[in-house]
Amino acid sequence: MSNTTWLDTGDNAWQLTAGSLVGLQSIPGLVVLYAGIVKRKWAINSAFMAFYAFAAVLICWVIWAYKMAFGEQWGAAPFVGTPGPILTMNDELEQTFLPTSGIYTNFPMSTMVYFQFVFAAITLVILAGALLGRMNFTAWMLFVPLWLTFSYTVGAFSLWGGGFLASRGVIDYSGGYVIHVSAGTAGFVAAAWVGPRLKQDREDFQPNNVLLTLVGAGILWTGWNGFNGGDPYAASADAGAAVLNTNIATAMSLLVWTILDIIFFKKPAVIGAVQGMITGLVAITPAAGVVAGWGAVIIGALSGSIPWVSMNIIGKKVWLFHLVDDTLGIYHTHTVAGIVGGMMVGVFATVEGSAAFGLTNPGGAIDNNWKQVWLQLVGWLFIVGLNIFMTSVICAFIKYVCRIPLRMSEEQLLIGDDAVHGEDAYAFGDVRRSILHGDTARVPISGDGELGIIQGMPGHTEPEPETQIKTESEGSE
């Protein structure tokens, strides 16, 4: 590989940077966001579901899944590429070439494989948000590679790898359909299969650390510069436009969501602002580099309002949303917002933006190309249908063929992290864990420093079998 005249070091540097930013969105971004936004007893499990998915996806990606998403078409049907490894040194050093779509880039295949991996990984991490607080971790370990293989790769190939939706002109700039509509739909379907959290968890699931949630949200927002800015596959003018439009839409969405919270709930909720931020990021993703700045403002206004209505009004009145326990509401923040953004591409895509991205599409409805609206509709309908079917098949396979329960046991559901992982998220959890394991010691049990005895821990040699906790004022020795 001595001949590297094709290599543009600036493009390669930006692509590696963009990929790293997207990686940071998952670890630590969504890891800490999930850890903070859930009930305390699920902090570790929620974070670890994301952490595991990131690692598992990479191994599957380089052994077979990358080529399914971006390789040569497999057979006559234009839905998926031929599976296979991409692990030799020659594979890693050669110029990137996407055979079905005929696209070359000015950076090596190793850079492309990593860049596309972090997109695949974050899709599973987002999907996990619908299943937090009750999915059996063993089932999750199997679900991740299966869903990546049979669902994600099909959507990615169809829209990005040169498949039938791409060839017909459907625009998904950076994953509004491939990632967000897919994750939101699959998460909702999987949530129906897994079943709900405990009744008390559904009724009381207050975030255990709002500030930690904000840290994760900030990483997510900033990392989206790589998410959308990396998809021109070059350090180009369109990459700059995508980054700016991403931030415009996100800021607008957050403001609109917060204003609606104030109008209807009389308080500006921080968690609501985070939801508005996410819906803005999601909605601008399919459009980032093909719409103008004012288009980004409109998309942000819509993404701050339509998913708000979906989550806070429709979600509270329609029976289906009560039946299916979507823990973090990712159907609203990802499916609904992704569809909003995808359809607005059909309206606000510009001729100039499309050309800058390397597309031949003559803009959207604002440039008298109403056909683009229809194409965008076909795109999201395909992705929704694909994920309803494939996710159901995968969950049925795990449950009935592999005989692995999709839902945790009742004991695990009652206790949480300590029962599932033998770990607790916070240091003061040692007291709670000692109670569960039957240990004793004198520890403060009230705000004024009153001492209690917890059985079995060092510091108490004569445990009282008739009581778990006994205060000093009751005469403990």
Side-chain angles (χ1 to χ4, degrees), residues 153-435:
T153 59
V154 176
F157 183 85
S158 298
L159 276 158
W160 289 343
F164 82 105
L165 292 175
S167 64
R168 282 161 176 75
V170 179
I171 299 174
D172 187 6
Y173 188 88
S174 197
Y177 289 173
V178 173
I179 294 172
H180 299 293
V181 174
S182 291
T185 303
F188 193 78
V189 173
W193 275 89
V194 172
R197 289 164 289 169
L198 291 178
K199 184 174 184 290
Q200 57 263 40
D201 279 355
R202 291 193 75 176
E203 293 174 351
D204 179 18
F205 208 70
Q206 292 298 314
N208 75 87
N209 194 325
V210 174
L211 295 181
L212 188 63
T213 300
L214 282 175
V215 170
I219 295 170
L220 195 65
W221 185 343
T222 305
W224 225 283
N225 291 341
F227 198 105
N228 289 346
D231 267 294
Y233 298 155
S236 65
D238 195 52
V243 169
L244 179 59
N245 288 338
T246 296
N247 285 271
I248 291 172
T250 304
M252 188 67 183
S253 184
L254 186 155
L255 295 175
V256 170
W257 194 292
T258 300
I259 290 169
L260 288 172
D261 276 352
I262 293 171
I263 292 172
F264 289 92
F265 302 135
K266 309 306 178 186
K267 292 181 180 179
V270 172
I271 297 300
V274 171
Q275 301 284 28
M277 178 206 80
I278 292 172
T279 56
L281 291 167
V282 169
I284 194 60
T285 292
V290 297
V291 299
W294 59 264
V297 171
I298 296 172
I299 290 173
L302 294 174
S303 66
S305 54
I306 295 175
W308 187 95
V309 171
S310 173
M311 177 178 285
N312 293 300
I313 297 178
I314 298 174
K316 293 179 180 179
K317 292 183 178 180
V318 175
W319 66 270
L320 183 61
F321 295 109
H322 293 281
L323 178 67
V324 179
D325 183 14
D326 176 358
T327 307
L328 300 185
I330 67 166
Y331 174 83
H332 306 287
T333 56
H334 292 271
T335 301
V336 175
I339 290 172
V340 167
M343 292 305 298
M344 288 305 99
V345 173
V347 176
F348 295 117
T350 63
V351 173
E352 299 87 350
S354 299
F357 189 48
L359 302 176
T360 58
N361 302 53
I366 60 169
D367 287 317
N368 296 315
N369 179 28
W370 286 94
K371 179 184 177 182
Q372 196 62 49
V373 177
W374 165 250
L375 289 172
Q376 298 304 117
L377 174 64
V378 171
W380 74 256
L381 286 173
F382 172 78
I383 292 296
V384 167
L386 167 70
N387 282 282
I388 291 174
F389 175 74
M390 283 297 183
T391 305
S392 295
V393 170
I394 290 166
C395 288
F397 175 78
I398 295 171
K399 182 176 182 179
Y400 297 115
V401 179
C402 299
R403 301 288 183 174
I404 298 174
L406 294 172
R407 193 167 180 258
M408 294 178 187
S409 68
E410 289 299 312
E411 179 186 7
Q412 290 173 324
L413 290 170
L414 282 168
I415 298 171
D417 289 339
D418 195 75
V420 179
H421 302 285
E423 297 168 307
D424 197 55
Y426 301 103
F428 55 79
D430 290 343
V431 173
R432 184 180 65 87
R433 290 174 60 198
S434 64
I435 294 173

Side-chain angles (χ1 to χ4, degrees), residues 64-153:
W64 72 81
Y66 171 80
K67 286 191 174 180
M68 292 182 71
F70 294 95
E72 294 183 8
Q73 182 174 306
W74 194 9
F79 297 112
V80 72
T82 305
I86 186 160
L87 287 167
T88 68
M89 184 55 71
N90 187 62
D91 287 337
E92 294 186 3
L93 294 177
E94 67 182 358
Q95 182 180 11
T96 296
F97 174 58
L98 307 183
T100 305
S101 58
I103 294 175
Y104 285 92
T105 72
N106 295 326
F107 49 79
M109 185 66 77
S110 51
T111 300
M112 175 63 85
V113 172
Y114 178 77
F115 181 74
Q116 293 298 346
F117 145 66
V118 291
F119 281 82
I122 201 171
T123 308
L124 268 300
V125 173
I126 292 168
L127 192 161
L131 308 172
L132 303 180
R134 85 281 198 180
M135 187 170 188
N136 178 10
F137 197 83
T138 303
W140 176 245
M141 292 178 71
L142 187 55
F143 180 90
V144 169
L146 289 174
W147 191 85
L148 173 74
T149 302
F150 295 105
S151 187
Y152 181 83
T153 59

